[in-house]
């Protein structure tokens, strides 16, 4: 008798979970999602400082795309053509170990030296610029912008390497993108921040 009651309770719980999942799925209609996305996009375009911040992530995506294939190509075409598979695997292991150690050590170093990588610093700055009702829409656009740069970089490499660009040129592209995003932020952010602070002071009044 107790086993039968337990099975009935399990079936009721499963049915409740299935009903809740169906309700969530019916609420997630594509027109509503598209409308919400367009609303967030209009808000970002109207906010010049936020638009400048998110546009810079395109360069971060390009850097990530180039770096994704650069170590393997450097091993295969320049450093170790005969044993590039082994050395590429060893490099991947070292990168994974470095990421793991960095994720553990980085919080302590950030608290000690009060310095963060630029993409983390910019990402943490966005919540201060965006109201809570728009923060999800703003953050949702960062990843597509980065993936656009990532895809552009990989597409360019697939078409141009190794016929038109070499390993050295891939290093140059990394350096140029880093310099470009630095120059872009240096030329745009200070003026936009000053303009935002002036607007805030004029709104608040004397």
């Amino acid at each position: 008798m107790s086993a039968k009651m337990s099975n009935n309770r399990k079936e009721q719980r499963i049915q409740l979970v299935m009903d809740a999942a169906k309700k969530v799925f019916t609420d997630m209609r594509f027109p509503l999602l598209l409308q919400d996305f367009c609303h967030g996009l209009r808000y970002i375009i109207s906010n010049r400082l936020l638009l400048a911040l998110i546009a810079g992530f395109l360069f971060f995506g390009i850097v990530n795309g180039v770096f994704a294939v650069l170590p393997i190509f450097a091993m295969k075409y320049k450093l170790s053509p005969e044993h590039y598979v082994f050395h590429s695997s060893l490099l991947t292991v070292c990168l994974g170990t470095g990421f793991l150690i960095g994720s553990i050590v980085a919080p302590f170093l950030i608290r000690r030296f009060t310095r963060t990588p630029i993409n983390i610093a910019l990402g943490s700055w966005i919540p201060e610029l965006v109201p809570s009702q728009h923060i999800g829409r703003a953050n949702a656009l960062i990843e597509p912008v980065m993936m656009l740069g990532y895809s552009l970089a990989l597409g360019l490499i697939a078409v141009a390497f190794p016929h038109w660009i070499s390993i050295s040129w891939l290093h140059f592209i990394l350096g140029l993108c880093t310099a470009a995003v630095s120059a872009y932020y240096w030329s745009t952010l200070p003026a936009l921040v000053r303009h935002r602070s002036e607007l805030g002071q004029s709104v608040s009044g004397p």
Side-chain angles (χ1 to χ4, degrees):
M1 184 69 180
S2 59
K4 185 176 181 180
M5 292 178 62
S6 178
N7 291 333
N8 291 334
R9 290 176 181 174
K10 290 180 180 179
E11 292 178 357
Q12 290 176 356
R13 292 174 182 174
I14 294 173
Q15 187 63 37
L16 289 175
V17 172
M18 293 178 64
D19 293 340
K22 290 179 181 178
K23 185 177 184 303
V24 171
F25 183 77
T26 54
D27 291 340
M28 293 177 58
R29 298 173 182 174
F30 181 75
L32 294 177
L33 295 176
L34 184 61
Q35 181 181 0
D36 192 61
F37 177 80
C38 293
H39 180 71
L41 188 61
R42 286 194 298 268
Y43 172 78
I44 293 172
I45 293 175
S46 65
N47 190 327
R48 293 180 59 191
L49 178 57
L50 182 60
L51 181 63
L53 286 175
I54 294 179
F57 281 87
L58 178 70
F59 293 96
F60 295 135
I62 295 174
V63 170
N64 290 338
V66 175
F67 188 74
V69 297
L70 181 58
I72 298 176
F73 284 2
M75 290 291 181
K76 182 176 181 180
Y77 294 100
K78 193 170 185 179
L79 299 178
S80 180
E82 297 179 356
H83 305 286
Y84 78 94
V85 175
F86 171 76
H87 289 110
S88 298
S89 302
L90 187 62
L91 178 64
T92 303
V93 172
C94 293
L95 282 175
T97 305
F99 288 147
L100 179 61
I101 295 174
S103 63
I104 297 173
V105 177
F108 301 99
L109 296 179
I110 291 173
R111 285 197 296 267
R112 181 177 178 83
F113 298 103
T114 64
R115 294 180 181 270
T116 58
I118 184 171
N119 56 338
I120 298 177
L122 294 176
S124 61
W125 189 18
I126 290 178
E128 299 179 9
L129 305 176
V130 182
S132 58
Q133 63 269 25
H134 296 291
I135 189 65
R137 300 182 179 97
N139 287 330
L141 198 62
I142 293 178
E143 194 66 26
V145 170
M146 288 190 65
M147 290 306 300
L148 175 61
Y150 191 91
S151 302
L152 289 175
L154 291 182
L156 176 64
I157 293 172
V159 172
F161 184 86
H163 301 290
W164 293 289
I165 58 176
S166 61
I167 295 295
S168 299
W169 269 105
L170 292 180
H171 287 90
F172 292 151
I173 291 173
L174 281 177
L176 288 173
C177 288
T178 304
V181 71
S182 301
Y184 170 73
Y185 281 140
W186 180 74
S187 62
T188 57
L189 291 187
L192 291 175
V193 171
R194 285 195 299 269
H195 180 68
R196 180 182 176 87
S197 62
E198 291 172 358
L199 286 178
Q201 292 177 358
S202 63
V203 170
S204 59

